[in-house]
Amino acid sequence: MAAMGGSVSRRYAKAIFAIGEDKGNFEILGRQLNELADLWKESEALRQTLENPVFKLSQKRAVLQSIMPRLAPARQVQSLALLLLERGRIANLPAVARAYEEMCDEKLGRVRARVLSAMPLDIASEAEIRKALERRTGKKVLMTTVVDPSLIGGVVTHVAGMVLDGSVASRLSNIKNRLLN
Protein backbone atom coordinates (compact mmCIF):
# COMPACT_ATOMS: atom_id res chain seq x y z
CA MET A 1 0.00 0.00 0.00
CA ALA A 2 2.83 2.42 0.78
CA ALA A 3 4.29 1.97 -2.70
CA MET A 4 0.96 2.88 -4.24
CA GLY A 5 0.77 6.00 -2.03
CA GLY A 6 4.24 7.02 -3.23
CA SER A 7 3.25 6.44 -6.83
CA VAL A 8 0.10 8.51 -6.40
CA SER A 9 2.09 11.26 -4.67
CA ARG A 10 4.61 11.36 -7.52
CA ARG A 11 1.82 11.72 -10.08
CA TYR A 12 0.37 14.74 -8.26
CA ALA A 13 3.85 16.22 -7.82
CA LYS A 14 4.67 15.65 -11.49
CA ALA A 15 1.49 17.40 -12.61
CA ILE A 16 2.07 20.55 -10.56
CA PHE A 17 5.80 20.49 -11.41
CA ALA A 18 4.97 20.53 -15.12
CA ILE A 19 2.73 23.56 -14.55
CA GLY A 20 5.50 25.27 -12.57
CA GLU A 21 8.04 24.56 -15.31
CA ASP A 22 5.72 26.00 -17.96
CA LYS A 23 5.11 29.15 -15.91
CA GLY A 24 8.73 29.43 -14.76
CA ASN A 25 7.82 29.42 -11.07
CA PHE A 26 8.47 25.81 -10.06
CA GLU A 27 10.80 26.81 -7.21
CA ILE A 28 8.21 29.17 -5.71
CA LEU A 29 5.53 26.48 -5.97
CA GLY A 30 7.89 24.05 -4.25
CA ARG A 31 8.49 26.40 -1.32
CA GLN A 32 4.76 26.98 -0.88
CA LEU A 33 4.01 23.28 -1.14
CA ASN A 34 6.65 22.57 1.53
CA GLU A 35 5.19 25.22 3.84
CA LEU A 36 1.74 23.69 3.51
CA ALA A 37 3.14 20.18 4.07
CA ASP A 38 5.06 21.38 7.14
CA LEU A 39 1.87 22.84 8.60
CA TRP A 40 0.11 19.52 7.92
CA LYS A 41 2.85 17.60 9.76
CA GLU A 42 3.02 20.04 12.69
CA SER A 43 -0.68 20.64 13.30
CA GLU A 44 -2.50 17.69 14.76
CA ALA A 45 -5.68 19.80 14.93
CA LEU A 46 -5.55 20.44 11.17
CA ARG A 47 -4.97 16.76 10.40
CA GLN A 48 -7.79 15.65 12.68
CA THR A 49 -10.17 18.20 11.17
CA LEU A 50 -9.42 17.43 7.52
CA GLU A 51 -9.38 13.65 7.98
CA ASN A 52 -12.43 13.44 10.24
CA PRO A 53 -15.44 11.93 8.43
CA VAL A 54 -17.81 13.77 10.80
CA PHE A 55 -17.08 17.06 9.02
CA LYS A 56 -18.63 17.68 5.63
CA LEU A 57 -16.37 18.22 2.65
CA SER A 58 -17.63 21.82 2.41
CA GLN A 59 -16.51 22.45 6.02
CA LYS A 60 -13.10 20.91 5.40
CA ARG A 61 -12.74 22.93 2.23
CA ALA A 62 -13.57 26.14 4.14
CA VAL A 63 -10.90 25.37 6.75
CA LEU A 64 -8.27 24.70 4.10
CA GLN A 65 -9.23 27.77 2.08
CA SER A 66 -8.94 29.97 5.17
CA ILE A 67 -5.30 29.03 5.85
CA MET A 68 -3.92 28.67 2.33
CA PRO A 69 -3.68 32.33 1.26
CA ARG A 70 -1.07 32.99 3.97
CA LEU A 71 1.03 29.88 3.29
CA ALA A 72 0.45 29.16 -0.37
CA PRO A 73 -0.76 32.17 -2.30
CA ALA A 74 -0.15 30.46 -5.67
CA ARG A 75 -3.41 29.30 -7.20
CA GLN A 76 -1.78 26.08 -8.43
CA VAL A 77 -0.77 25.00 -4.90
CA GLN A 78 -4.19 25.87 -3.54
CA SER A 79 -5.88 23.91 -6.31
CA LEU A 80 -3.65 20.90 -5.65
CA ALA A 81 -4.42 20.94 -1.91
CA LEU A 82 -8.16 21.19 -2.57
CA LEU A 83 -7.97 18.37 -5.12
CA LEU A 84 -6.16 16.16 -2.60
CA LEU A 85 -8.84 16.99 -0.04
CA GLU A 86 -11.71 16.22 -2.41
CA ARG A 87 -10.15 12.92 -3.47
CA GLY A 88 -9.55 11.84 0.13
CA ARG A 89 -5.78 12.06 -0.28
CA ILE A 90 -4.94 15.11 1.79
CA ALA A 91 -2.76 12.91 4.05
CA ASN A 92 -0.48 12.44 1.01
CA LEU A 93 0.44 16.15 1.08
CA PRO A 94 3.88 15.64 2.72
CA ALA A 95 4.73 12.83 0.26
CA VAL A 96 3.67 15.03 -2.66
CA ALA A 97 5.91 17.82 -1.32
CA ARG A 98 8.87 15.40 -0.99
CA ALA A 99 8.37 14.09 -4.52
CA TYR A 100 8.13 17.67 -5.81
CA GLU A 101 11.34 18.60 -3.97
CA GLU A 102 13.13 15.67 -5.61
CA MET A 103 11.97 16.86 -9.03
CA CYS A 104 13.20 20.39 -8.29
CA ASP A 105 16.57 19.05 -7.15
CA GLU A 106 16.90 16.94 -10.29
CA LYS A 107 15.98 19.86 -12.53
CA LEU A 108 18.47 22.16 -10.79
CA GLY A 109 21.29 19.59 -10.66
CA ARG A 110 21.46 19.31 -6.91
CA VAL A 111 21.25 16.57 -4.32
CA ARG A 112 20.46 16.60 -0.59
CA ALA A 113 22.85 15.15 1.95
CA ARG A 114 22.36 14.45 5.63
CA VAL A 115 25.60 14.31 7.59
CA LEU A 116 25.65 12.85 11.10
CA SER A 117 28.66 13.58 13.28
CA ALA A 118 29.61 12.84 16.88
CA MET A 119 30.26 16.54 17.54
CA PRO A 120 29.23 19.73 15.74
CA LEU A 121 31.25 20.27 12.57
CA ASP A 122 33.19 23.48 12.08
CA ILE A 123 32.71 25.53 8.91
CA ALA A 124 35.91 24.22 7.30
CA SER A 125 34.90 20.57 7.89
CA GLU A 126 31.44 21.19 6.46
CA ALA A 127 32.95 22.82 3.37
CA GLU A 128 35.40 19.93 2.92
CA ILE A 129 32.63 17.32 3.21
CA ARG A 130 30.39 19.29 0.82
CA LYS A 131 33.18 19.52 -1.79
CA ALA A 132 33.92 15.79 -1.53
CA LEU A 133 30.22 14.96 -1.96
CA GLU A 134 29.93 17.33 -4.93
CA ARG A 135 32.91 15.62 -6.59
CA ARG A 136 31.40 12.18 -5.90
CA THR A 137 27.86 13.03 -7.08
CA GLY A 138 28.68 15.58 -9.76
CA LYS A 139 25.92 17.79 -8.35
CA LYS A 140 25.54 20.75 -6.04
CA VAL A 141 25.03 19.44 -2.50
CA LEU A 142 22.47 20.86 -0.09
CA MET A 143 23.75 19.59 3.22
CA THR A 144 22.17 19.34 6.65
CA THR A 145 24.15 18.27 9.68
CA VAL A 146 22.95 16.39 12.74
CA VAL A 147 24.92 15.67 15.92
CA ASP A 148 24.74 12.03 17.04
CA PRO A 149 27.07 11.32 19.99
CA SER A 150 26.56 7.55 19.60
CA LEU A 151 28.91 7.68 16.58
CA ILE A 152 31.83 8.28 18.99
CA GLY A 153 33.73 10.02 16.17
CA GLY A 154 33.76 10.44 12.40
CA VAL A 155 30.71 11.01 10.20
CA VAL A 156 27.92 9.10 8.50
CA THR A 157 26.58 10.64 5.31
CA HIS A 158 23.30 9.86 3.54
CA VAL A 159 23.36 11.16 -0.04
CA ALA A 160 21.75 10.09 -3.32
CA GLY A 161 20.55 6.78 -1.92
CA MET A 162 23.99 5.93 -0.51
CA VAL A 163 25.20 5.67 3.06
CA LEU A 164 28.86 6.54 3.53
CA ASP A 165 29.80 5.38 7.02
CA GLY A 166 33.08 6.71 8.35
CA SER A 167 32.10 6.58 12.02
CA VAL A 168 34.26 5.20 14.80
CA ALA A 169 31.27 3.17 16.05
CA SER A 170 31.03 1.44 12.67
CA ARG A 171 34.77 0.74 12.56
CA LEU A 172 34.68 -0.74 16.06
CA SER A 173 31.75 -2.93 15.08
CA ASN A 174 33.65 -4.17 12.00
CA ILE A 175 36.71 -5.00 14.12
CA LYS A 176 34.53 -6.86 16.63
CA ASN A 177 32.90 -8.89 13.83
CA ARG A 178 36.30 -9.81 12.36
CA LEU A 179 37.61 -10.89 15.74
CA LEU A 180 34.56 -13.05 16.43
CA ASN A 181 34.66 -14.75 13.02
Side-chain angles (χ1 to χ4, degrees):
M1 191 69 155
M4 188 165 78
S7 174
V8 167
S9 298
R10 278 190 297 279
R11 282 196 310 248
Y12 283 107
K14 190 174 182 179
I16 192 170
F17 187 78
I19 293 168
E21 269 189 310
D22 289 345
K23 300 215 180 266
N25 66 346
F26 67 93
E27 286 184 279
I28 293 168
L29 296 181
R31 280 192 296 275
Q32 291 180 17
L33 191 55
N34 276 333
E35 286 181 25
L36 202 53
D38 288 345
L39 176 64
W40 174 263
K41 289 185 279 192
E42 293 166 7
S43 175
E44 187 174 335
L46 179 63
R47 288 191 312 272
Q48 287 178 351
T49 301
L50 297 182
E51 291 182 320
N52 192 333
V54 171
F55 296 109
K56 294 178 184 174
L57 181 58
S58 60
Q59 292 170 309
K60 294 176 186 181
R61 183 183 253 282
V63 168
L64 197 52
Q65 286 176 318
S66 71
I67 61 170
M68 282 194 298
R70 292 185 304 268
L71 293 172
R75 182 184 52 77
Q76 298 91 343
V77 175
Q78 291 183 18
S79 296
L80 173 66
L82 291 170
L83 181 64
L84 290 170
L85 178 67
E86 290 168 5
R87 299 234 172 121
R89 293 189 166 143
I90 192 68
N92 287 44
L93 185 60
V96 172
R98 273 191 309 277
Y100 191 96
E101 188 174 72
E102 290 170 6
M103 291 174 195
C104 281
D105 289 347
E106 184 66 32
K107 171 86 174 166
L108 297 171
R110 61 187 187 201
V111 66
R112 293 178 190 271
R114 185 168 173 252
V115 178
L116 291 88
S117 61
M119 298 176 9
L121 297 172
D122 59 34
I123 294 171
S125 296
E126 278 190 35
E128 187 178 332
I129 291 169
R130 182 177 286 109
K131 278 184 184 178
L133 292 172
E134 286 176 349
R135 280 193 307 273
R136 184 164 187 148
T137 63
K139 296 181 177 186
K140 181 180 190 298
V141 173
L142 303 176
M143 194 168 83
T144 57
T145 58
V146 178
V147 175
D148 180 357
S150 72
L151 297 177
I152 304 171
V155 297
V156 175
T157 303
H158 299 263
V159 62
M162 296 181 291
V163 178
L164 308 169
D165 192 344
S167 68
V168 171
S170 171
R171 291 179 187 168
L172 289 173
S173 177
N174 288 340
I175 290 170
K176 177 184 171 189
N177 288 338
R178 277 187 269 165
L179 289 173
L180 293 176
N181 292 330

